[in-house]
């Protein structure tokens, strides 16, 4: 964001992706969300930009600084839902716009693992998670500015980590990638590949459960301009077992 103005993101045909999109078919010209509404993504995460692009919506990015401190005795679900709503409400937008915001955190038992402050903390987190299953909570908020209509949704995904070695941890931490990731890992990292297997929403672990977003947008009478489950599975190279139940829920 420059001088308070949102950065325009060319999505999806012109958006650079750091990971490959194998066999992903997207139309080259991306129409507006619909004739009356435009979409704002309240996140500076490149991973959320990539995922949102799979719906073939045009959108802009606008990010507001919010305090992400956890309240005393606040549950992980309440925490991510509160932050998602706070982020959405913090964005200045026109009356014809819809604001999408999300927050993701890693939860091990009752402990929320945020972004590590340094390499030593990253190593500690990855060692703690190794060979065990934890949960990733992603809260999503969708705010229609014209009438203040707000929708929120929560996706909780079990994430079983593989038994990676100490040497793998040190090599991964040395790349610097864990330092801006909750729980000190990126599920999609091609070399480290921390997760043993998945039975839930892979996109949610990356930061934006797209079928939840589609379901919410439909409640605001906005349809995707692409086959989101197909695009998402091809992008992530993952056969998702939960998309049908989420979209019909």
């Amino acid at each position: 964001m420059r001088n308070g103005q949102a950065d325009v993101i060319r999505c999806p045909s012109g958006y650079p992706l750091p990971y490959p999109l194998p066999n992903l078919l997207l139309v080259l010209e991306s129409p507006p969300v619909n004739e009356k509404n435009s979409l704002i993504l309240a996140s500076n995460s490149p991973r959320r930009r990539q995922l949102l692009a799979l719906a073939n919506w045009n959108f802009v990015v606008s990010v507001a600084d919010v305090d992400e401190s956890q309240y005393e005795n606040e549950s992980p679900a309440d925490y991510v839902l509160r932050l998602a709503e706070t982020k959405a409400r913090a964005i200045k937008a026109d009356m014809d716009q819809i604001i999408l915001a999300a927050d993701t955190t890693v939860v091990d038992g009752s402990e929320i693992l945020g972004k590590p402050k340094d390499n030593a903390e990253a190593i500690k987190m990855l060692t703690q998670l190794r060979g065990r299953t934890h949960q990733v909570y992603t809260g999503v908020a969708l705010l229609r500015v014209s009438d203040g209509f707000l929708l929120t949704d929560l996706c909780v995904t079990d994430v079983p980590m593989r038994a990676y070695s100490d040497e793998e941890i040190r090599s991964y931490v040395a790349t610097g990638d864990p330092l801006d990731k909750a729980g000190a890992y990126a599920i999609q990292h091609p070399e480290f590949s921390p997760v043993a297997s998945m039975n839930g929403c892979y996109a949610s672990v990356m930061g934006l459960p797209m079928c939840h977003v589609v379901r919410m947008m439909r409640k605001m009478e906005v349809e995707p301009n692409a086959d989101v489950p197909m695009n998402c599975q091809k992008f992530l190279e993952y056969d998702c077992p939960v998309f049908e139940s989420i979209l019909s829920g």
Side-chain angles (χ1 to χ4, degrees), residues 106-108 113 122 125-136 158-164 169 172 182-187 192-198 205:
V106 171
V107 181
D108 184 31
L113 301 180
M125 287 183 183
L126 290 169
T127 302
Q128 176 179 335
L129 296 175
R130 175 172 54 191
R132 300 172 56 236
T133 297
H134 64 273
Q135 286 70 46
V136 170
D158 288 336
V159 182
M161 302 289 266
R162 66 181 181 87
Y164 39 75
I169 292 176
Y172 177 49
Y185 73 90
I187 187 174
F192 185 49
S193 298
V195 176
S197 62
M198 280 285 296
V205 182

mmCIF file of all heavy atoms in Angstrom, residues 106-108 113 122 125-136 158-164 169 172 182-187 192-198 205:
data_model
loop_
_atom_site.group_PDB
_atom_site.id
_atom_site.type_symbol
_atom_site.label_atom_id
_atom_site.label_comp_id
_atom_site.label_asym_id
_atom_site.label_seq_id
_atom_site.Cartn_x
_atom_site.Cartn_y
_atom_site.Cartn_z
ATOM 1 N N VAL A 106 -1.295 -21.491 14.346
ATOM 2 C CA VAL A 106 -0.968 -22.890 14.629
ATOM 3 C C VAL A 106 -1.206 -23.146 16.112
ATOM 4 O O VAL A 106 -0.778 -22.363 16.966
ATOM 5 C CB VAL A 106 0.502 -23.176 14.249
ATOM 6 C CG1 VAL A 106 0.933 -24.550 14.744
ATOM 7 C CG2 VAL A 106 0.683 -23.074 12.742
ATOM 8 N N VAL A 107 -1.891 -24.244 16.401
ATOM 9 C CA VAL A 107 -2.243 -24.566 17.782
ATOM 10 C C VAL A 107 -1.754 -25.970 18.116
ATOM 11 O O VAL A 107 -2.112 -26.945 17.443
ATOM 12 C CB VAL A 107 -3.766 -24.466 18.001
ATOM 13 C CG1 VAL A 107 -4.112 -24.785 19.451
ATOM 14 C CG2 VAL A 107 -4.272 -23.079 17.626
ATOM 15 N N ASP A 108 -0.933 -26.071 19.140
ATOM 16 C CA ASP A 108 -0.438 -27.363 19.615
ATOM 17 C C ASP A 108 -1.008 -27.594 21.002
ATOM 18 O O ASP A 108 -0.567 -26.974 21.980
ATOM 19 C CB ASP A 108 1.088 -27.371 19.644
ATOM 20 C CG ASP A 108 1.648 -28.727 20.043
ATOM 21 O OD1 ASP A 108 1.005 -29.743 19.742
ATOM 22 O OD2 ASP A 108 2.728 -28.756 20.660
ATOM 23 N N LEU A 113 1.005 -21.087 18.605
ATOM 24 C CA LEU A 113 2.366 -20.847 18.147
ATOM 25 C C LEU A 113 2.323 -19.784 17.052
ATOM 26 O O LEU A 113 1.851 -20.035 15.945
ATOM 27 C CB LEU A 113 2.991 -22.137 17.610
ATOM 28 C CG LEU A 113 3.091 -23.311 18.584
ATOM 29 C CD1 LEU A 113 3.743 -24.508 17.902
ATOM 30 C CD2 LEU A 113 3.854 -22.925 19.841
ATOM 31 N N ALA A 122 12.448 -20.700 16.093
ATOM 32 C CA ALA A 122 11.953 -21.501 14.971
ATOM 33 C C ALA A 122 12.351 -22.963 15.146
ATOM 34 O O ALA A 122 11.543 -23.884 14.927
ATOM 35 C CB ALA A 122 12.497 -20.950 13.656
ATOM 36 N N MET A 125 10.156 -24.533 17.859
ATOM 37 C CA MET A 125 8.794 -24.831 17.411
ATOM 38 C C MET A 125 8.762 -26.063 16.523
ATOM 39 O O MET A 125 7.915 -26.950 16.689
ATOM 40 C CB MET A 125 8.219 -23.633 16.651
ATOM 41 C CG MET A 125 7.844 -22.463 17.504
ATOM 42 S SD MET A 125 7.090 -21.146 16.486
ATOM 43 C CE MET A 125 6.833 -19.875 17.727
ATOM 44 N N LEU A 126 9.675 -26.141 15.562
ATOM 45 C CA LEU A 126 9.692 -27.275 14.642
ATOM 46 C C LEU A 126 10.008 -28.579 15.364
ATOM 47 O O LEU A 126 9.467 -29.639 15.020
ATOM 48 C CB LEU A 126 10.692 -27.018 13.515
ATOM 49 C CG LEU A 126 10.289 -25.927 12.525
ATOM 50 C CD1 LEU A 126 11.463 -25.565 11.614
ATOM 51 C CD2 LEU A 126 9.090 -26.371 11.694
ATOM 52 N N THR A 127 10.863 -28.514 16.362
ATOM 53 C CA THR A 127 11.162 -29.697 17.165
ATOM 54 C C THR A 127 9.932 -30.117 17.964
ATOM 55 O O THR A 127 9.623 -31.310 18.079
ATOM 56 C CB THR A 127 12.343 -29.408 18.113
ATOM 57 O OG1 THR A 127 13.483 -29.013 17.338
ATOM 58 C CG2 THR A 127 12.686 -30.635 18.936
ATOM 59 N N GLN A 128 9.219 -29.154 18.501
ATOM 60 C CA GLN A 128 8.002 -29.427 19.269
ATOM 61 C C GLN A 128 6.928 -30.097 18.411
ATOM 62 O O GLN A 128 6.230 -31.008 18.866
ATOM 63 C CB GLN A 128 7.463 -28.116 19.852
ATOM 64 C CG GLN A 128 6.140 -28.243 20.590
ATOM 65 C CD GLN A 128 5.677 -26.904 21.161
ATOM 66 O OE1 GLN A 128 6.495 -26.002 21.418
ATOM 67 N NE2 GLN A 128 4.385 -26.756 21.386
ATOM 68 N N LEU A 129 6.805 -29.673 17.165
ATOM 69 C CA LEU A 129 5.740 -30.181 16.294
ATOM 70 C C LEU A 129 6.097 -31.498 15.612
ATOM 71 O O LEU A 129 5.211 -32.206 15.121
ATOM 72 C CB LEU A 129 5.408 -29.131 15.222
ATOM 73 C CG LEU A 129 4.834 -27.801 15.718
ATOM 74 C CD1 LEU A 129 4.682 -26.830 14.555
ATOM 75 C CD2 LEU A 129 3.488 -28.018 16.411
ATOM 76 N N ARG A 130 7.349 -31.847 15.583
ATOM 77 C CA ARG A 130 7.843 -33.002 14.814
ATOM 78 C C ARG A 130 7.169 -34.304 15.233
ATOM 79 O O ARG A 130 7.050 -34.629 16.411
ATOM 80 C CB ARG A 130 9.356 -33.124 14.999
ATOM 81 C CG ARG A 130 9.966 -34.350 14.359
ATOM 82 C CD ARG A 130 11.479 -34.309 14.400
ATOM 83 N NE ARG A 130 12.019 -34.105 15.732
ATOM 84 C CZ ARG A 130 13.295 -33.832 15.985
ATOM 85 N NH1 ARG A 130 14.158 -33.708 14.993
ATOM 86 N NH2 ARG A 130 13.703 -33.662 17.227
ATOM 87 N N GLY A 131 6.699 -35.055 14.213
ATOM 88 C CA GLY A 131 6.149 -36.376 14.463
ATOM 89 C C GLY A 131 4.822 -36.396 15.198
ATOM 90 O O GLY A 131 4.387 -37.459 15.662
ATOM 91 N N ARG A 132 4.150 -35.253 15.280
ATOM 92 C CA ARG A 132 2.897 -35.155 16.026
ATOM 93 C C ARG A 132 1.859 -34.431 15.181
ATOM 94 O O ARG A 132 2.186 -33.795 14.175
ATOM 95 C CB ARG A 132 3.116 -34.402 17.346
ATOM 96 C CG ARG A 132 4.122 -35.067 18.254
ATOM 97 C CD ARG A 132 4.464 -34.217 19.473
ATOM 98 N NE ARG A 132 3.263 -33.869 20.217
ATOM 99 C CZ ARG A 132 2.906 -32.609 20.494
ATOM 100 N NH1 ARG A 132 3.640 -31.596 20.063
ATOM 101 N NH2 ARG A 132 1.823 -32.372 21.191
ATOM 102 N N THR A 133 0.617 -34.511 15.609
ATOM 103 C CA THR A 133 -0.469 -33.815 14.919
ATOM 104 C C THR A 133 -0.893 -32.598 15.721
ATOM 105 O O THR A 133 -1.147 -32.689 16.930
ATOM 106 C CB THR A 133 -1.685 -34.748 14.718
ATOM 107 O OG1 THR A 133 -1.312 -35.831 13.874
ATOM 108 C CG2 THR A 133 -2.847 -34.001 14.076
ATOM 109 N N HIS A 134 -0.932 -31.461 15.048
ATOM 110 C CA HIS A 134 -1.438 -30.245 15.663
ATOM 111 C C HIS A 134 -2.594 -29.722 14.815
ATOM 112 O O HIS A 134 -2.988 -30.344 13.829
ATOM 113 C CB HIS A 134 -0.324 -29.195 15.786
ATOM 114 C CG HIS A 134 0.210 -28.728 14.476
ATOM 115 N ND1 HIS A 134 1.238 -29.373 13.803
ATOM 116 C CD2 HIS A 134 -0.137 -27.681 13.679
ATOM 117 C CE1 HIS A 134 1.493 -28.743 12.674
ATOM 118 N NE2 HIS A 134 0.661 -27.708 12.568
ATOM 119 N N GLN A 135 -3.129 -28.579 15.197
ATOM 120 C CA GLN A 135 -4.240 -27.995 14.455
ATOM 121 C C GLN A 135 -3.852 -26.616 13.914
ATOM 122 O O GLN A 135 -3.091 -25.876 14.548
ATOM 123 C CB GLN A 135 -5.498 -27.847 15.332
ATOM 124 C CG GLN A 135 -6.220 -29.148 15.628
ATOM 125 C CD GLN A 135 -5.435 -30.049 16.569
ATOM 126 O OE1 GLN A 135 -4.908 -29.596 17.589
ATOM 127 N NE2 GLN A 135 -5.338 -31.324 16.222
ATOM 128 N N VAL A 136 -4.389 -26.304 12.750
ATOM 129 C CA VAL A 136 -4.290 -24.956 12.202
ATOM 130 C C VAL A 136 -5.694 -24.367 12.157
ATOM 131 O O VAL A 136 -6.614 -24.972 11.598
ATOM 132 C CB VAL A 136 -3.665 -24.962 10.794
ATOM 133 C CG1 VAL A 136 -3.800 -23.586 10.137
ATOM 134 C CG2 VAL A 136 -2.191 -25.348 10.877
ATOM 135 N N ASP A 158 -6.539 -30.624 11.021
ATOM 136 C CA ASP A 158 -5.498 -31.422 11.661
ATOM 137 C C ASP A 158 -4.301 -31.530 10.725
ATOM 138 O O ASP A 158 -4.455 -31.834 9.535
ATOM 139 C CB ASP A 158 -6.010 -32.824 11.973
ATOM 140 C CG ASP A 158 -7.012 -32.841 13.115
ATOM 141 O OD1 ASP A 158 -6.994 -31.919 13.943
ATOM 142 O OD2 ASP A 158 -7.825 -33.787 13.175
ATOM 143 N N VAL A 159 -3.103 -31.307 11.272
ATOM 144 C CA VAL A 159 -1.886 -31.328 10.469
ATOM 145 C C VAL A 159 -0.880 -32.298 11.101
ATOM 146 O O VAL A 159 -0.248 -31.979 12.105
ATOM 147 C CB VAL A 159 -1.263 -29.919 10.350
ATOM 148 C CG1 VAL A 159 -0.026 -29.965 9.459
ATOM 149 C CG2 VAL A 159 -2.276 -28.916 9.821
ATOM 150 N N PRO A 160 -0.732 -33.486 10.525
ATOM 151 C CA PRO A 160 0.250 -34.449 11.047
ATOM 152 C C PRO A 160 1.632 -34.193 10.450
ATOM 153 O O PRO A 160 1.830 -34.286 9.245
ATOM 154 C CB PRO A 160 -0.308 -35.803 10.589
ATOM 155 C CG PRO A 160 -1.104 -35.489 9.355
ATOM 156 C CD PRO A 160 -1.554 -34.063 9.453
ATOM 157 N N MET A 161 2.572 -33.866 11.298
ATOM 158 C CA MET A 161 3.926 -33.575 10.831
ATOM 159 C C MET A 161 4.745 -34.859 10.740
ATOM 160 O O MET A 161 4.593 -35.774 11.548
ATOM 161 C CB MET A 161 4.608 -32.597 11.781
ATOM 162 C CG MET A 161 3.860 -31.274 11.963
ATOM 163 S SD MET A 161 3.911 -30.214 10.501
ATOM 164 C CE MET A 161 5.341 -29.199 10.905
ATOM 165 N N ARG A 162 5.627 -34.910 9.749
ATOM 166 C CA ARG A 162 6.481 -36.087 9.613
ATOM 167 C C ARG A 162 7.651 -35.989 10.603
ATOM 168 O O ARG A 162 7.902 -34.932 11.206
ATOM 169 C CB ARG A 162 6.989 -36.204 8.178
ATOM 170 C CG ARG A 162 7.918 -35.098 7.722
ATOM 171 C CD ARG A 162 8.343 -35.283 6.275
ATOM 172 N NE ARG A 162 9.246 -34.221 5.853
ATOM 173 C CZ ARG A 162 10.562 -34.250 6.018
ATOM 174 N NH1 ARG A 162 11.138 -35.288 6.607
ATOM 175 N NH2 ARG A 162 11.325 -33.257 5.597
ATOM 176 N N ALA A 163 8.368 -37.072 10.738
ATOM 177 C CA ALA A 163 9.492 -37.122 11.678
ATOM 178 C C ALA A 163 10.765 -36.653 10.987
ATOM 179 O O ALA A 163 11.719 -37.417 10.801
ATOM 180 C CB ALA A 163 9.649 -38.533 12.226
ATOM 181 N N TYR A 164 10.816 -35.392 10.639
ATOM 182 C CA TYR A 164 12.002 -34.827 9.998
ATOM 183 C C TYR A 164 13.156 -34.777 11.007
ATOM 184 O O TYR A 164 12.971 -34.752 12.227
ATOM 185 C CB TYR A 164 11.713 -33.432 9.440
ATOM 186 C CG TYR A 164 10.825 -32.572 10.315
ATOM 187 C CD1 TYR A 164 11.300 -31.973 11.481
ATOM 188 C CD2 TYR A 164 9.495 -32.353 9.967
ATOM 189 C CE1 TYR A 164 10.497 -31.195 12.275
ATOM 190 C CE2 TYR A 164 8.667 -31.572 10.758
ATOM 191 C CZ TYR A 164 9.177 -30.996 11.911
ATOM 192 O OH TYR A 164 8.369 -30.227 12.704
ATOM 193 N N ILE A 169 15.753 -29.680 10.045
ATOM 194 C CA ILE A 169 15.276 -28.476 10.719
ATOM 195 C C ILE A 169 16.282 -27.352 10.546
ATOM 196 O O ILE A 169 15.931 -26.223 10.165
ATOM 197 C CB ILE A 169 15.029 -28.747 12.219
ATOM 198 C CG1 ILE A 169 13.841 -29.687 12.417
ATOM 199 C CG2 ILE A 169 14.776 -27.428 12.960
ATOM 200 C CD1 ILE A 169 13.607 -30.080 13.866
ATOM 201 N N TYR A 172 16.388 -26.034 6.975
ATOM 202 C CA TYR A 172 15.201 -25.261 6.640
ATOM 203 C C TYR A 172 15.227 -23.891 7.318
ATOM 204 O O TYR A 172 14.956 -22.859 6.680
ATOM 205 C CB TYR A 172 13.953 -26.040 7.036
ATOM 206 C CG TYR A 172 12.662 -25.297 6.803
ATOM 207 C CD1 TYR A 172 12.381 -24.674 5.581
ATOM 208 C CD2 TYR A 172 11.704 -25.210 7.809
ATOM 209 C CE1 TYR A 172 11.189 -23.999 5.368
ATOM 210 C CE2 TYR A 172 10.517 -24.532 7.602
ATOM 211 C CZ TYR A 172 10.265 -23.928 6.387
ATOM 212 O OH TYR A 172 9.089 -23.251 6.192
ATOM 213 N N ALA A 182 3.523 -18.667 11.007
ATOM 214 C CA ALA A 182 3.023 -19.199 12.269
ATOM 215 C C ALA A 182 3.441 -20.652 12.408
ATOM 216 O O ALA A 182 3.334 -21.435 11.467
ATOM 217 C CB ALA A 182 1.503 -19.085 12.322
ATOM 218 N N GLY A 183 3.968 -21.004 13.568
ATOM 219 C CA GLY A 183 4.447 -22.357 13.779
ATOM 220 C C GLY A 183 5.778 -22.647 13.130
ATOM 221 O O GLY A 183 6.279 -23.769 13.194
ATOM 222 N N ALA A 184 6.354 -21.666 12.463
ATOM 223 C CA ALA A 184 7.702 -21.741 11.865
ATOM 224 C C ALA A 184 7.783 -22.666 10.659
ATOM 225 O O ALA A 184 8.843 -23.219 10.363
ATOM 226 C CB ALA A 184 8.746 -22.147 12.911
ATOM 227 N N TYR A 185 6.668 -22.841 9.929
ATOM 228 C CA TYR A 185 6.761 -23.670 8.732
ATOM 229 C C TYR A 185 5.745 -23.230 7.693
ATOM 230 O O TYR A 185 4.716 -22.630 8.000
ATOM 231 C CB TYR A 185 6.536 -25.147 9.067
ATOM 232 C CG TYR A 185 5.099 -25.508 9.381
ATOM 233 C CD1 TYR A 185 4.220 -25.918 8.371
ATOM 234 C CD2 TYR A 185 4.616 -25.450 10.690
ATOM 235 C CE1 TYR A 185 2.907 -26.251 8.647
ATOM 236 C CE2 TYR A 185 3.306 -25.786 10.969
ATOM 237 C CZ TYR A 185 2.452 -26.184 9.949
ATOM 238 O OH TYR A 185 1.145 -26.498 10.235
ATOM 239 N N ALA A 186 6.061 -23.541 6.449
ATOM 240 C CA ALA A 186 5.129 -23.403 5.337
ATOM 241 C C ALA A 186 4.828 -24.804 4.825
ATOM 242 O O ALA A 186 5.744 -25.526 4.416
ATOM 243 C CB ALA A 186 5.717 -22.552 4.222
ATOM 244 N N ILE A 187 3.567 -25.189 4.851
ATOM 245 C CA ILE A 187 3.203 -26.546 4.438
ATOM 246 C C ILE A 187 3.614 -26.824 3.002
ATOM 247 O O ILE A 187 3.946 -27.936 2.641
ATOM 248 C CB ILE A 187 1.685 -26.768 4.631
ATOM 249 C CG1 ILE A 187 1.324 -28.231 4.361
ATOM 250 C CG2 ILE A 187 0.864 -25.825 3.778
ATOM 251 C CD1 ILE A 187 -0.126 -28.568 4.666
ATOM 252 N N PHE A 192 11.484 -28.710 2.232
ATOM 253 C CA PHE A 192 11.296 -29.187 3.602
ATOM 254 C C PHE A 192 10.106 -30.147 3.700
ATOM 255 O O PHE A 192 10.174 -31.155 4.394
ATOM 256 C CB PHE A 192 11.110 -28.002 4.545
ATOM 257 C CG PHE A 192 11.036 -28.373 5.990
ATOM 258 C CD1 PHE A 192 11.971 -29.223 6.563
ATOM 259 C CD2 PHE A 192 10.025 -27.870 6.802
ATOM 260 C CE1 PHE A 192 11.903 -29.571 7.903
ATOM 261 C CE2 PHE A 192 9.947 -28.209 8.138
ATOM 262 C CZ PHE A 192 10.890 -29.059 8.693
ATOM 263 N N SER A 193 9.004 -29.835 3.029
ATOM 264 C CA SER A 193 7.800 -30.694 3.008
ATOM 265 C C SER A 193 7.521 -31.269 4.392
ATOM 266 O O SER A 193 7.673 -32.473 4.626
ATOM 267 C CB SER A 193 7.979 -31.836 2.000
ATOM 268 O OG SER A 193 8.138 -31.334 0.700
ATOM 269 N N PRO A 194 7.088 -30.429 5.331
ATOM 270 C CA PRO A 194 7.021 -30.863 6.727
ATOM 271 C C PRO A 194 5.886 -31.816 7.074
ATOM 272 O O PRO A 194 5.938 -32.473 8.112
ATOM 273 C CB PRO A 194 6.843 -29.546 7.479
ATOM 274 C CG PRO A 194 6.136 -28.660 6.513
ATOM 275 C CD PRO A 194 6.683 -29.022 5.167
ATOM 276 N N VAL A 195 4.865 -31.892 6.216
ATOM 277 C CA VAL A 195 3.653 -32.618 6.585
ATOM 278 C C VAL A 195 3.674 -34.026 6.009
ATOM 279 O O VAL A 195 3.975 -34.224 4.829
ATOM 280 C CB VAL A 195 2.401 -31.849 6.113
ATOM 281 C CG1 VAL A 195 1.138 -32.637 6.391
ATOM 282 C CG2 VAL A 195 2.350 -30.493 6.813
ATOM 283 N N ALA A 196 3.312 -34.993 6.845
ATOM 284 C CA ALA A 196 3.329 -36.391 6.421
ATOM 285 C C ALA A 196 2.180 -36.705 5.485
ATOM 286 O O ALA A 196 2.351 -37.363 4.460
ATOM 287 C CB ALA A 196 3.266 -37.296 7.657
ATOM 288 N N SER A 197 0.989 -36.259 5.826
ATOM 289 C CA SER A 197 -0.202 -36.517 5.020
ATOM 290 C C SER A 197 -1.267 -35.511 5.437
ATOM 291 O O SER A 197 -1.152 -34.858 6.463
ATOM 292 C CB SER A 197 -0.709 -37.949 5.229
ATOM 293 O OG SER A 197 -1.083 -38.142 6.579
ATOM 294 N N MET A 198 -2.316 -35.425 4.616
ATOM 295 C CA MET A 198 -3.383 -34.467 4.920
ATOM 296 C C MET A 198 -4.735 -35.084 4.617
ATOM 297 O O MET A 198 -4.894 -35.800 3.626
ATOM 298 C CB MET A 198 -3.220 -33.193 4.076
ATOM 299 C CG MET A 198 -2.189 -32.219 4.604
ATOM 300 S SD MET A 198 -2.778 -31.318 6.049
ATOM 301 C CE MET A 198 -4.137 -30.408 5.332
ATOM 302 N N VAL A 205 -4.446 -24.287 5.681
ATOM 303 C CA VAL A 205 -3.140 -24.296 6.344
ATOM 304 C C VAL A 205 -2.220 -23.265 5.705
ATOM 305 O O VAL A 205 -1.369 -22.666 6.372
ATOM 306 C CB VAL A 205 -2.528 -25.702 6.303
ATOM 307 C CG1 VAL A 205 -1.191 -25.741 7.044
ATOM 308 C CG2 VAL A 205 -3.481 -26.720 6.927
#
